Amino acid sequence: MADLSEKNYRIKYRGRSVEISKANSTTLVYRIPYLTLLQGGSAFPVDNNFIVYILVSDDEKIYVGKSKNGLKNRPTAHDDKSDSWRFCYVLTQFKERTFFNDGTIQYIENYLNETVNGLGRFNNTTKVTSSSTANASDETPCQEYIKEALEMLDAIGLDLITSKVDKEDVDVDIDDDVGSNDFSVIPNGTYHLCRKIKRIGNKSVSATMKVCDGMFIVLKGSEICQGEGIGMWDAVVEKRNNAIIENGILQDDVTFDSPSGAGAFVIGSSCNGWTNWRCDDGSKLKKFRKGK
């Protein structure tokens, strides 16, 4: 999950809907509950009619689409792909300073579809997308937009950056030197999080996470912040509700599929696991991430 403080994001919450933007940037990303769309509304006005959208379900199905009519009709036209869409993520720009058009949203849609396929973590229900009709001069701005949009998506709960790591593909331990060009290969071993939390009077929580073959396990005995802040997503809330926590101490191991999920479980709010979890030598977990 992208670091909210380091990136200087502007995040607005209305119920379960989220808007994320950044100063001096044209990029604008939303997370809207699918039920809200079905009911014909959105907590935030999406003024730009040119959008790319991503539907995500509870069972890891995903759909990538585009629309030149904003939220009208298209994002809710895919119930044949899943009956459990949970969120619609909308990628757009501020209407008054946009380069989005038919060609650029097609470029972004196609790029995101190929990105999802390359991750190996989702059941992609998208039909094959077409190569772009964008002008060559638009491709660099599109690529810059996509890079920023992926980080914003990561910050509000949709990680389209981290690829799946299969056991057969990698077998490294904590001391191995993993190159920065590898896809988020985090060595097996233990990692640590210690963070002061402002909303509970700057008290610290300290937790230990074990990485085992691509799974992220918050270990028994870790300190868990019992109050919850903003930015939590449903799967983490459910795990916090089901976990046995006595006097702020976790009584059983809890497993996650990302370091950010594990971090959010510990601190009770949005968390960039790549910068909050640290190795034994104090270095940040992000040193293992591609494009660090």
Side-chain angles (χ1 to χ4, degrees):
M1 183 173 283
D3 194 308
L4 308 186
S5 59
E6 288 184 6
K7 297 293 184 180
N8 193 29
Y9 291 139
R10 296 173 175 174
I11 302 185
K12 299 178 182 178
Y13 296 88
R14 293 180 183 172
R16 297 174 65 207
S17 296
V18 184
E19 175 191 276
I20 180 168
S21 61
K22 186 179 179 182
N24 302 315
S25 170
T26 66
T27 307
L28 190 59
V29 175
Y30 298 92
R31 186 188 75 188
I32 304 170
Y34 188 70
L35 181 59
T36 300
L37 291 183
L38 285 178
Q39 294 171 343
S42 171
F44 296 96
V46 180
D47 296 326
N48 192 338
N49 282 336
F50 289 99
I51 66 171
V52 176
Y53 58 91
I54 304 168
L55 300 177
V56 181
S57 74
D58 289 331
D59 54 359
E60 296 188 330
K61 286 183 179 177
I62 200 166
Y63 182 89
V64 182
K66 66 181 186 301
S67 172
K68 58 182 180 181
N69 295 305
L71 294 176
K72 186 178 180 180
N73 299 327
R74 284 291 300 160
T76 55
H78 310 290
D79 287 349
D80 58 318
K81 307 290 195 308
S82 174
D83 59 3
S84 62
W85 296 124
R86 178 171 289 272
F87 287 114
C88 177
Y89 292 85
V90 178
L91 284 66
T92 188
Q93 292 184 300
F94 290 97
K95 188 176 181 180
E96 63 273 16
R97 51 183 195 274
T98 183
F99 63 78
F100 272 25
N101 55 41
D102 283 344
T104 53
I105 63 173
Q106 185 178 358
Y107 181 99
I108 293 169
E109 177 199 37
N110 187 62
Y111 190 100
L112 290 176
N113 186 46
E114 292 180 351
T115 297
V116 169
N117 289 335
L119 294 176
R121 294 172 35 230
F122 296 96
N123 176 5
N124 190 359
T125 65
T126 314
K127 293 182 178 179
V128 177
T129 50
S130 302
S131 59
S132 174
T133 58
N135 296 325
S137 60
D138 286 329
E139 291 189 5
T140 296
C142 281
Q143 291 168 2
E144 292 173 350
Y145 173 90
I146 291 166
K147 180 179 179 181
E148 187 166 64
L150 288 175
E151 292 178 346
M152 288 185 177
L153 287 170
D154 196 18
I156 59 175
L158 178 59
D159 181 0
L160 298 184
I161 300 173
T162 309
S163 65
K164 180 178 179 180
V165 180
D166 292 326
K167 303 175 60 169
E168 293 85 6
D169 294 337
V170 59
D171 184 15
V172 293
D173 59 41
I174 193 72
D175 296 321
D176 284 345
D177 181 15
V178 179
S180 61
N181 289 325
D182 290 306
F183 277 110
S184 306
V185 179
I186 302 175
N188 290 344
T190 55
Y191 301 86
H192 312 280
L193 184 154
C194 184
R195 177 166 162 176
K196 288 183 178 180
I197 301 177
K198 185 176 181 179
R199 69 176 185 276
I200 59 171
N202 283 324
K203 294 180 180 179
S204 295
V205 294
S206 179
T208 301
M209 175 181 72
K210 179 181 178 182
V211 174
C212 182
D213 297 331
M215 301 306 295
F216 304 87
I217 307 165
V218 179
L219 297 181
K220 173 183 176 180
S222 295
E223 296 176 346
I224 307 298
C225 179
Q226 293 179 280
E228 292 184 0
I230 60 176
M232 293 285 282
W233 59 104
D234 293 348
V236 177
V237 172
E238 183 177 357
K239 291 208 174 190
R240 283 172 61 90
N241 289 339
N242 292 335
I244 301 174
I245 303 170
E246 296 180 359
N247 297 319
I249 304 298
L250 185 63
Q251 301 299 304
D252 292 297
D253 298 347
V254 181
T255 301
F256 297 85
D257 59 7
S258 75
S260 293
F265 175 82
V266 172
I267 69 173
S269 66
S270 295
C271 174
N272 178 2
W274 299 97
T275 58
N276 280 275
W277 291 106
R278 294 178 180 262
C279 306
D280 288 338
D281 63 4
S283 59
K284 295 179 181 179
L285 198 65
K286 71 177 184 178
K287 72 180 183 179
F288 302 120
R289 193 174 198 179
K290 181 181 179 182
K292 64 180 179 179

